[in-house]
Amino acid sequence: MELEATNIKRRDEAQGVAKKMDGLKVVLVRQAGEGGQLYGSVSARDLAEALTAEGYHIERGQVLLNAPVKILGVFKTQIRLHPEVKVEVEFTVARSKEEADLQAAEAAKLLERTEDAEKLLADTAPAEGEAAETTEATV
C-alpha cells in the first residue's frame, strides 16, 4: 500500500512538472555546413543537458529521441517524466541564437499563412444550401 502511495505521489509531481514544461522551446546551437548538415549530431544527452540548464532535472534516458538529429531545424520529442507521464518539448537546432529566433519567426508566418488560406477557402466556398439552389435554378 505504501509503494502505491509513493507511486501516486511521484506521478502527481511529474504531472506538475509536465504542466510547467508544456510549450517549452529549447535552442541548441551547433556548427553546420552550407546545406544545413551538422558537424556532429544532437543526441538525447545534449537535449537532457539543455533542459537541465533550463531548470528541469532530466536524465538522458528520459528523452525519447528515436535517432540523433543531424540537420538544422525545428524538432519535437517527448520527455518521460514518469512511466505514466510524458510531455512534448520543441527544440531548435541552429547555428546561432539569432538564427533560431529567425526560424521561429518564419514558422509562425507559415502557420499564419495556413490559417489565412483555410479562412479564405471557407469564405469563398459556397454553403451546401447555396450550391443546391444554384443547381435547381439552372435546370
Side-chain angles (χ1 to χ4, degrees):
M1 192 67 177
E2 186 179 316
L3 191 63
E4 191 175 319
T6 305
N7 183 45
I8 290 170
K9 182 181 176 207
R10 285 188 177 155
R11 186 187 68 209
D12 292 345
E13 288 172 0
Q15 286 172 337
V17 172
K19 284 180 185 173
K20 288 180 189 173
M21 287 181 77
D22 192 35
L24 180 67
K25 296 179 182 178
V26 180
V27 176
L28 297 156
V29 177
R30 295 289 185 270
Q31 291 183 345
E34 285 296 317
Q37 192 75 20
L38 296 183
Y39 299 135
S41 64
V42 173
S43 66
R45 183 186 326 131
D46 298 321
L47 199 51
E49 288 171 2
L51 291 168
T52 300
E54 291 285 326
Y56 302 97
H57 181 72
I58 302 296
E59 300 283 326
R60 177 179 75 184
Q62 292 176 280
V63 179
L64 304 177
L65 191 63
N66 292 335
V69 174
K70 297 182 182 222
I71 58 172
L72 297 173
V74 180
F75 306 91
K76 289 183 180 180
T77 190
Q78 290 191 330
I79 309 298
R80 184 187 303 123
L81 300 172
H82 180 272
E84 299 172 29
V85 181
K86 293 178 186 171
V87 64
E88 191 169 77
V89 172
E90 184 177 298
F91 64 100
T92 303
V93 181
R95 289 185 184 99
S96 67
K97 178 80 172 110
E98 293 76 25
E99 186 179 284
D101 294 340
L102 186 64
Q103 284 179 354
E106 287 177 11
K109 281 183 187 176
L110 285 174
L111 285 175
E112 287 173 16
R113 287 187 199 139
T114 304
E115 290 170 6
D116 291 343
E118 288 172 355
K119 185 175 187 285
L120 184 65
L121 285 172
D123 291 345
T124 57
E128 288 181 32
E130 292 174 17
E133 289 173 18
T134 53
T135 313
E136 290 173 14
T138 323
V139 173

